[in-house]
Amino acid sequence: MQLASWNVNSLKVRLPHLLQWLETNPVDLLGLQELKLTDENFPLTELEAAGYGAVFAGQKTYNGVAILYKKATMPEPVDVLVNLPSFPDEQKRVIAATFGDLRFISAYVVNGSEVGSEKFEYKKAWLDGLLKDCEGWLAQYPKLALVGDYNIAPDDRDVHDPKAWAGQVLCSDEERGRFNTLLGLGLVDSFRLFEQAEKTYSWWDYRMLGFQKNKGLRIDHVLLSKPLAEKCTASVIDRAPRKWEKPSDHAPAIATLSI
């Protein structure tokens, strides 16, 4: 089984890329972030033609999350949840569903703009809500995957220039501390279960040849509960779609499980 996450940065624009990627990477479950479209414009017909069902929570211009599931391998989703119970919010940032005995959550964490800003305070409060809810989810669902764009680079290995980014948004101690607390609840960063090439990132700025110079951050993560982590056989970031014409600024993250 393969579980994946991809911030597509506009599903309308990136739909051809998504369909192309799924054709060569037929993952079983895929969490999408930054749909940037409303529910009535969600491309369900095109995805079903590619063999995928979906649950989604869209929003005009910003945010929006979805879970795609391969109809040939996955049961129909039940117990669909939108957003955090502990953090009422108009922004569509979380969608969760259960497939058999697996709880799968796609999350788009607040960016935070800059440390000390109102948006940064919002990010911290949002993350505190995620921590509170995740504790309950892990107690309820032993097999749980929390995937998404976390907008947090967990440590300096995940940053192209740690000195330049030190203390900045995405890399601050306050954000990293909350990420580590999430791991302390019983989640595992699947990427770090394996030896990885240095300077492996999942996001690169469109500006100043960020991708071409590999000036990136690893901020997209597939976190697994311990029963799933024990079955994880690989966890990678697929840089290929970032090379395509008019790409998302994020690359997909994929974990493979022997279940």
Side-chain angles (χ1 to χ4, degrees):
M1 174 183 287
Q2 288 192 307
L3 312 178
S5 180
W6 194 2
N7 179 327
V8 290
N9 191 18
S10 175
L11 183 53
K12 180 180 179 180
V13 174
R14 240 63 69 180
L15 181 60
H17 285 192
L18 174 61
L19 294 172
Q20 179 182 344
W21 188 78
L22 287 173
E23 190 172 352
T24 54
N25 300 270
V27 296
D28 299 280
L29 290 171
L30 172 60
L32 298 179
Q33 301 87 41
E34 280 205 278
L35 306 182
K36 296 184 176 180
L37 48 72
T38 54
D39 287 350
E40 59 267 26
N41 293 319
F42 189 87
L44 193 58
T45 301
E46 293 89 336
L47 289 167
E48 287 182 339
Y52 283 84
V55 292
F56 46 90
Q59 182 180 334
K60 185 178 181 180
T61 309
Y62 302 103
N63 308 314
V65 284
I67 298 170
L68 309 189
Y69 59 96
K70 188 161 66 173
K71 286 180 167 286
T73 60
M74 301 304 298
E76 289 293 309
V78 297
D79 299 330
V80 177
L81 171 74
V82 174
N83 282 351
L84 297 173
S86 292
F87 193 90
D89 192 7
E90 292 183 358
Q91 299 192 24
K92 298 297 188 292
R93 293 187 173 276
V94 173
I95 190 164
T98 299
F99 300 85
D101 62 353
L102 171 64
R103 187 66 167 174
F104 189 86
I105 306 161
S106 174
Y108 175 46
V109 175
V110 181
N111 176 277
S113 184
E114 60 180 308
V115 172
S117 68
E118 287 186 12
K119 290 181 179 179
F120 189 72
E121 295 304 311
Y122 165 50
K123 180 176 191 173
K124 291 191 294 181
W126 192 95
L127 285 167
D128 289 342
L130 176 65
L131 288 168
K132 181 178 179 180
D133 289 332
C134 199
E135 188 172 11
W137 293 337
L138 284 164
Q140 186 177 358
Y141 304 104
K143 295 181 179 178
L144 182 143
L146 177 56
V147 315
D149 174 2
Y150 281 71
N151 273 312
I152 301 172
D155 64 48
D156 285 351
R157 293 174 294 175
D158 304 309
V159 183
H160 72 92
D161 187 344
K163 288 185 178 179
W165 281 87
Q168 301 298 313
V169 70
L170 312 187
C171 302
S172 72
D173 289 342
E174 291 169 288
E175 295 161 283
R176 286 176 168 178
R178 285 168 170 82
F179 187 87
N180 288 330
T181 300
L182 199 57
L183 300 185
L185 294 177
L187 289 169
V188 177
D189 180 355
S190 64
F191 187 79
R192 291 299 175 201
L193 287 170
F194 306 95
E195 189 171 334
Q196 304 284 0
E198 291 185 7
K199 299 185 180 299
T200 299
Y201 309 123
S202 66
W203 171 85
W204 303 261
D205 200 317
Y206 287 127
R207 299 165 295 181
M208 300 177 68
L209 299 175
F211 180 70
Q212 291 82 348
K213 295 180 178 180
N214 199 30
K215 293 183 176 181
L217 303 176
R218 188 178 71 94
I219 57 176
D220 301 87
H221 309 299
V222 177
L223 302 190
L224 304 173
S225 64
K226 289 177 181 177
L228 291 182
E230 290 170 358
K231 300 288 187 180
C232 189
T233 58
S235 185
V236 299
I237 295 168
D238 183 4
R239 290 167 48 97
R242 189 62 175 80
K243 301 174 184 177
W244 298 346
E245 188 177 355
K246 295 182 179 179
S248 168
D249 46 355
H250 294 253
I254 313 124
T256 303
L257 312 180
S258 61
I259 57 175

